[in-house]
């Protein structure tokens, strides 16, 4: 009995170490990034991953739009948060007026809401885009935002 209790105690004591995970840190240089595709963005946009979908399929990217740059129309199956970290930009839900977003603002696009976001015509904006995937996809891209739609 003493041997069994000792073995159980050792097993329980070792269990947290056996299942422990280590914290990690990445730097901006570690994450890299790339110029946004002309299929999904108009103008100069730099997209850098912040973290991948290893936590309940939630991922994030840091996106910088130069003046006049914007995303295409798109939807998210779970929704999307935009956390504006620098500058001033615009976002628009289909059928609604264009709205302004500034440093410190948080914008939420509910699941399935068709929208676009980007810089104003004279200022750049950087935001963190946070979204979850459903069935392996976090976004469905639509048409590019026309100059007329962007300017209205």
């Amino acid at each position: 009995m003493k041997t069994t209790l000792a073995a159980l105690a050792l097993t329980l004591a070792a269990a947290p170490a056996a299942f422990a995970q280590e914290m990690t840190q990445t730097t901006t240089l570690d994450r890299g990034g790339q110029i946004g595709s002309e299929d999904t963005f108009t103008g100069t946009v730099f997209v850098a991953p912040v973290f991948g979908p290893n936590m309940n399929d939630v991922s994030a990217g840091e996106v910088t739009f130069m003046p006049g740059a914007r995303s295409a129309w798109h939807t998210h199956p779970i929704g999307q948060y935009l956390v504006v970290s620098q500058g001033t930009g615009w976002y628009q839900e289909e059928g609604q007026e264009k709205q302004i977003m500034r440093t410190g603002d948080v914008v939420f696009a509910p699941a399935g809401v068709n929208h676009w976001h980007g810089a104003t015509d004279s200022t750049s904006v950087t935001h963190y885009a946070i979204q979850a995937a459903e069935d392996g996809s976090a976004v469905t891209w639509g048409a590019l935002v026309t100059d007329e739609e962007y300017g209205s």
Side-chain angles (χ1 to χ4, degrees), residues 59-131:
S59 64
E62 181 183 39
V63 187
T64 300
F65 297 85
M66 298 309 292
R70 67 264 191 188
S71 71
W73 290 99
H74 61 284
T75 62
H76 301 277
I78 307 293
Q80 179 185 53
Y81 279 101
L82 303 176
V83 181
V84 182
S85 59
Q86 196 169 30
T88 303
W90 289 325
Y91 68 94
Q92 184 175 18
E93 178 180 339
E94 185 176 34
Q96 303 295 321
E97 294 293 317
K98 181 171 55 180
Q99 302 294 314
I100 195 162
M101 58 182 178
R102 295 180 181 87
T103 302
D105 289 350
V106 177
V107 177
F108 178 66
V113 171
N114 198 30
H115 68 281
W116 66 266
H117 38 93
T120 71
D121 54 357
S122 62
T123 62
S124 64
V125 69
T126 299
H127 64 55
Y128 290 95
I130 305 164
Q131 56 278 316

